[in-house]
């Protein structure tokens, strides 16, 4: 049983919190739902409070100052302050419109049969292997193939993407040791060079894009007469590659781990595969790939309970906590693949709502649906290793046996 957590501080969390944050999140929600950390920032664990923050136009995502202090002037700083996710309008609006214009429903429809083909090919490989690491042999490959294809990344670079992405995203954790910072900077430099060359190539050969590729629309697209500069293009493509595969890898792996841990739900999904759509939503709720978000209050904000956070407050939203708030989800720790409605905020809401949510859901539905159907005897095959990060929930290794 947990004792007094008044001393909890998000900036000094331990391994136990990373492994299973939920007992702590429940305690915080009940006893300190607007929890102040030692640095004055607040950590919100109630669904209604997180929703209010995400829906308010006064809450800012721009992290130029914060990242200036955290990173100094370095490639990680350039990357994270040029990505749309950490910017506000008007820059955010321009980049978002350009990306949304590239990821159209038509492009996504074109992708669906490609996704089915890639999944079936991967499942054949899984079948041949019998014993495998779900992460490296399946879960990372599908989203990497899809987003790399959409951004025109040649095959020879694809296996490097997860390393780059973990190094770059790992630098966003509350505590970043110097070696992790150095790895993040090196990843941005290498990745930028690769993308710069690819973009130059596509500029010179605008007609060479394959059907379904979106890089060309990002290079040549305009919003209000403005197109992206080379640096903006490079950094936002790196962001898209990271956003497009890291979280989706975790969605698939977290889902299969959840099924292995809940045989009744696994059996139900095998017996009634039509539950796959609600099942994907439930996996996103109980093990949200992105667990913590941030906003800076650009004006005072009154939360639904009447508490006011003053302008200038740095806010951490607990997506994981909100998604298990008993005020919104009955019996929130129970996994129920038929849960409906399911108002989780794994993709958040508001002006930064995930631009890849539709793509991720399609990938999840096809990959998980076909995996479950094809491998009814799947079991764990040794210890799992979870990602050693508080912000992202997933695994570095998940050994399984499929027959
Ligand atoms: C299960 C998979 C995914 C999850 C859980 C997820 C989650 C999220 C979340 C929580 C945000 C908002 C972050 C914030 O503003 O604080 C976000 C933003 C974003 N995501 Fe995803 N994402 C997923 C897959 C994808 C995919 C596949 C793509 C691209 C193809 C993508 C592209 C983006 C982009 C571009 C943004 C920034 C939107 C903006 O700032 O306006 N995501 N995602």
């Amino acid at each position: 049983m947990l004792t007094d957590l008044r001393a909890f501080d998000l900036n000094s969390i331990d391994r136990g919190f990373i492994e299973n944050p939920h007992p702590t999140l429940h305690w915080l929600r009940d006893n300190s739902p607007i929890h102040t950390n030692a640095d004055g920032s607040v950590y919100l664990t109630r669904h209604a409070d997180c929703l209010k923050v995400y829906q308010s136009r006064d809450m800012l995502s721009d992290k130029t100052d914060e990242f200036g202090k955290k990173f100094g002037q370095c490639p990680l700083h350039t990357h994270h302050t040029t990505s749309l996710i950490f910017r506000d309008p008007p820059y955010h609006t321009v980049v978002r419109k350009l990306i949304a214009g590239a990821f159209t429903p038509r492009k996504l429809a074109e992708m669906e049969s490609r996704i089915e083909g890639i999944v079936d090919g991967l499942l054949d490989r899984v079948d041949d292997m019998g014993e495998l690491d779900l992460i490296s042999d399946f879960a990372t490959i599908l989203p990497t193939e899809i987003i790399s294809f959409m951004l025109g990344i040649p095959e020879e670079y694809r296996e490097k993407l997860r390393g780059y992405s973990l190094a770059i995203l790992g630098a966003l954790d509350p505590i970043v040791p110097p070696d992790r910072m150095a790895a993040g900077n090196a990843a941005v430099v290498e990745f930028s060079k690769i993308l710069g060359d690819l973009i130059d190539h596509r500029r010179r050969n605008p007609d060479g894009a394959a059907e379904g590729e979106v890089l060309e629309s990002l290079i040549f697209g305009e919003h209000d007469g403005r197109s992206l500069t080379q640096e903006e293009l490079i950094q936002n493509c790196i962001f898209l590659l990271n956003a497009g595969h890291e979280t989706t890898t975790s969605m698939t792996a977290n889902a299969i781990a959840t099924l292995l841990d809940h045989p009744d739900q696994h059996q139900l999904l095998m017996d009634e595969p039509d539950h796959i759509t609600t099942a994907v939503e439930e996996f996103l709720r109980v093990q949200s790939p992105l667990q913590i978000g941030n906003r800076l209050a650009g004006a005072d904000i009154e939360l639904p309970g009447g508490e006011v956070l003053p302008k200038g407050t740095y806010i951490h939203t607990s997506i994981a906590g909100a998604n298990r708030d008993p005020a919104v989800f009955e019996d929130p720790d129970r996994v129920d693949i038929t849960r409906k409605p399911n108002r989780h905020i794994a993709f958040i809401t508001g002006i930064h709502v995930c631009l890849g949510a539709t793509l991720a859901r399609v990938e999840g539905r096809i990959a998980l649906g076909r995996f479950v159907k094809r491998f009814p005897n799947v079991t764990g095959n040794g210890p799992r290793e979870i990602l050693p990060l508080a912000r992202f929930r997933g695994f570095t290794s998940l050994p399984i046996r499929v027959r």
Side-chain angles (χ1 to χ4, degrees), residues 54 61 63 83-87 92 96 99 103 143 147 150 239-241 243-252 284 288-290 292-295 317 319 345-349 351-357 359-361 363:
Y54 282 130
S61 287
K63 297 213 173 23
S83 309
L84 81 159
I85 196 166
F86 296 131
R87 296 291 296 273
H92 169 262
R96 187 164 171 109
I99 296 179
F103 284 74
I147 194 67
M150 294 182 96
F239 173 71
L240 269 174
L241 283 158
H245 88 269
E246 188 49 42
T247 43
T248 315
T249 296
S250 297
M251 172 186 65
T252 308
L284 285 164
S288 309
L290 190 62
I292 302 172
N294 298 105
R295 293 294 184 265
T317 46
I319 295 171
I345 53 165
F347 296 114
I348 72 153
T349 175
I351 66 164
H352 288 272
V353 64
C354 177
L355 264 170
L359 177 61
R361 285 179 160 126
E363 287 183 39

Side-chain angles (χ1 to χ4, degrees), residues 51-263:
L51 215 58
K52 174 84 193 222
V53 166
Y54 282 130
Q55 285 169 344
S56 164
R57 288 277 175 156
D58 294 324
M59 298 301 108
L60 308 176
S61 287
D62 193 296
K63 297 213 173 23
T64 311
D65 288 347
E66 185 201 330
F67 287 160
K69 285 184 216 133
K70 179 170 182 161
F71 298 127
Q73 280 309 317
C74 65
L76 273 171
H77 183 264
T78 306
H79 170 68
H80 286 305
T81 55
T82 312
S83 309
L84 81 159
I85 196 166
F86 296 131
R87 296 291 296 273
D88 300 316
Y91 174 78
H92 169 262
T93 316
V94 173
V95 181
R96 187 164 171 109
K97 292 258 178 200
L98 282 168
I99 296 179
F103 284 74
T104 55
R106 187 175 59 80
K107 292 275 181 202
L108 293 179
E110 275 171 31
M111 290 311 293
E112 197 150 334
S113 59
R114 181 170 287 270
I115 295 172
E116 286 169 352
I118 295 174
V119 168
D120 287 343
L122 283 172
L123 294 180
D124 287 345
R125 237 186 90 214
V126 166
D127 206 355
D128 290 343
M129 293 172 93
E131 291 186 9
L132 61 139
D133 185 340
L134 183 77
I135 305 301
S136 53
D137 297 320
F138 182 68
T140 47
I141 304 179
L142 172 67
T144 306
E145 288 294 305
I146 299 297
I147 194 67
S148 300
F149 171 79
M150 294 182 96
L151 290 177
I153 308 287
E155 274 192 49
E156 65 257 37
Y157 297 123
R158 295 185 188 174
E159 66 184 33
K160 293 186 164 187
L161 290 185
R162 186 151 204 247
Y164 287 151
S165 138
L166 285 178
I168 294 170
L169 297 177
L172 296 175
D173 242 29
I175 307 159
V176 188
D179 57 336
R180 211 192 269 172
M181 197 73 96
N185 276 315
V188 175
V189 172
E190 260 188 62
F191 210 169
S192 298
K193 169 85 180 80
I194 293 171
L195 272 162
D197 290 349
L198 287 172
I199 291 167
D200 289 343
H201 176 78
R202 182 57 73 237
R203 276 190 207 283
R204 288 193 302 272
N205 304 281
D207 299 330
E211 202 193 23
E213 187 187 304
V214 301
L215 181 63
E216 183 203 358
S217 323
L218 295 176
I219 297 175
F220 300 107
E222 283 188 5
H223 174 66
D224 277 352
R226 172 156 167 0
S227 55
L228 297 179
T229 65
Q230 182 80 347
E231 186 73 280
E232 290 167 354
L233 260 172
I234 290 174
Q235 300 309 332
N236 281 290
C237 283
I238 291 182
F239 173 71
L240 269 174
L241 283 158
N242 289 343
H245 88 269
E246 188 49 42
T247 43
T248 315
T249 296
S250 297
M251 172 186 65
T252 308
N254 295 353
I256 291 176
T258 302
L259 288 176
L260 291 175
D261 295 342
H262 297 84

Side-chain angles (χ1 to χ4, degrees), residues 25-27 29-30 45-47 285 320-333 339:
L25 295 176
H26 284 315
W27 189 94
R29 200 184 308 100
D30 290 344
T45 41
R46 288 191 296 220
H47 189 276
R285 182 186 77 82
N323 285 344
R324 295 208 192 186
D325 184 342
V328 178
F329 304 98
E330 198 188 322
D331 201 356
D333 291 326
R339 192 181 286 272

